[in-house]
Amino acid sequence: QFFVTSFLTPKQAKDQVDCVARAIYESVFNWLIAKINQAIAVPGVGTPDEPAWIGLLDIFGFEVMPQNSLEQLFINFANEKLQQFFVTNFFRAEETMYEEEEITDCEVIFTDNDAVIKVIDEPKKGIYAILEDQCKVDTGTDESFLNGLRQGQGHYNKDTQLFSEGKGKDANTVFIVHHSMTAVTYHIIDFRQKNIEALTPHQVECLCNSKDPIMKECYTPEVLAAAREAKKTYSTASFKQSVASLIHVLGSSFPFFLRCLKPNQTKLPN
């Protein structure tokens, strides 16, 4: 048994603790979902490779907090993609049906959000791409990330007005994305650190040595071996892949949409 001493600043130490906490949360969440799916699976329905299923997707809505960070950008990006899926599968399908039936008196009006998705996810110039570029270099900072956004997103200011910079005292700490539902101000602090998601092999080894039974299921010797060989990964890439997988599942199924009405913001009568 041996110990490795690493000299970190208080902020660096806190960042490492937060990274481990996020990894544990994600692992336990995935473990819980797997257990639920096992518990509700119906034997003999479907095939072992493709079991029959009914999925319920709760679209949680756009998130606007007093201070918005990378987590809120992820949530709002997912909502934009789901909105795009809804528009494609409902309004555009309705429009196509009217054209096929030669119905000319019913105009289908909807808002296309392709442009705002491009602001976030466009290769090389999108917010995700610029953030990943800053994570790849040791000299990258949250401030250099914001400067990269100003350069990469500048062409949107004239055409779509979907990206804008902060004003006054917030000029060097925030950027604004004009989403389909509302404009959201994002604070850049810790964007870069939150996006570097991979645990170090030493951290994974500590989790593998946990006596907690759930941790033992989540962090196996195979997980440790993979961590020792893994390349640097980013939360943006993982999240985009997760959203793409969700959209693929939705596209390969037969979706039905239920719209919930909220009568007022306070949810109170009169």
Side-chain angles (χ1 to χ4, degrees):
Q1 188 176 21
F2 65 93
F3 297 91
V4 176
T5 301
S6 179
F7 295 96
L8 303 173
T9 66
K11 184 181 184 307
Q12 289 173 330
K14 182 180 181 301
D15 289 342
Q16 291 299 309
V17 171
D18 291 343
C19 184
V20 173
R22 287 194 296 269
I24 292 175
Y25 181 93
E26 180 181 2
S27 298
V28 173
F29 183 85
N30 291 335
W31 174 88
L32 179 61
I33 294 299
K35 293 296 182 183
I36 292 174
N37 285 336
Q38 291 174 11
I40 65 177
V42 179
V45 178
T47 65
D49 294 332
E50 295 187 11
W53 57 273
I54 297 175
L56 178 62
L57 174 63
D58 180 12
I59 302 177
F60 30 72
F62 285 83
E63 190 164 282
V64 185
M65 310 291 285
Q67 185 161 317
N68 302 287
S69 188
L70 184 61
E71 298 90 341
Q72 282 69 47
L73 181 62
F74 282 168
I75 291 172
N76 293 336
F77 172 72
N79 275 284
E80 293 287 5
K81 295 291 286 185
L82 290 169
Q83 174 72 13
Q84 183 185 53
F85 178 83
F86 175 74
V87 167
T88 301
N89 285 269
F90 187 78
F91 291 114
R92 288 179 178 168
E94 288 286 303
E95 193 175 53
T96 300
M97 182 183 69
Y98 291 156
E99 291 175 357
E100 292 176 349
E101 297 291 333
E102 298 183 358
I103 300 174
T104 58
D105 295 333
C106 297
E107 182 182 3
V108 180
I109 301 175
F110 58 88
T111 302
D112 193 318
N113 66 340
D114 290 349
V116 70
I117 291 175
K118 192 176 179 182
V119 168
I120 301 171
D121 196 27
E122 183 182 18
K124 298 184 179 180
K125 296 181 180 179
I127 295 172
Y128 285 163
I130 294 171
L131 178 58
E132 288 179 10
D133 284 343
Q134 290 302 314
C135 292
K136 292 174 183 176
V137 294
D138 294 334
T139 56
T141 64
D142 292 326
E143 290 74 20
S144 59
F145 161 59
L146 182 59
N147 289 332
L149 285 181
R150 288 168 175 164
Q151 297 174 17
Q153 295 289 338
H155 64 290
Y156 285 113
N157 292 336
K158 296 179 180 179
D159 300 330
T160 63
Q161 300 291 319
L162 295 175
F163 175 90
S164 56
E165 302 175 20
K167 303 290 184 181
K169 63 182 179 64
D170 294 329
N172 295 320
T173 57
V174 306
F175 64 90
I176 302 165
V177 177
H178 298 262
H179 288 282
S180 300
M181 300 302 295
T182 186
V184 180
T185 299
Y186 295 97
H187 294 255
I188 64 168
I189 304 303
D190 291 335
F191 250 70
R192 183 176 177 275
Q193 176 60 37
K194 289 178 179 180
N195 195 42
I196 303 174
E197 64 175 11
L199 297 177
T200 66
H202 288 303
Q203 291 169 332
V204 176
E205 187 173 2
C206 287
L207 294 173
C208 288
N209 292 331
S210 172
K211 296 180 180 179
D212 184 89
I214 296 178
M215 286 292 96
K216 285 185 174 296
E217 285 192 50
C218 294
Y219 292 94
T220 62
E222 292 76 17
V223 173
L224 177 58
R228 286 171 173 161
E229 298 178 1
K231 298 179 180 179
K232 185 182 289 188
T233 57
Y234 304 113
S235 297
T236 44
S238 299
F239 190 77
K240 285 196 299 181
Q241 183 178 4
S242 177
V243 172
S245 177
L246 171 62
I247 298 299
H248 174 74
V249 170
L250 292 174
S252 62
S253 61
F254 299 94
F256 295 89
F257 299 97
L258 299 176
R259 181 175 291 275
C260 300
L261 299 179
K262 184 165 63 175
N264 56 67
Q265 294 297 328
T266 57
K267 301 179 183 177
L268 295 172
N270 302 319

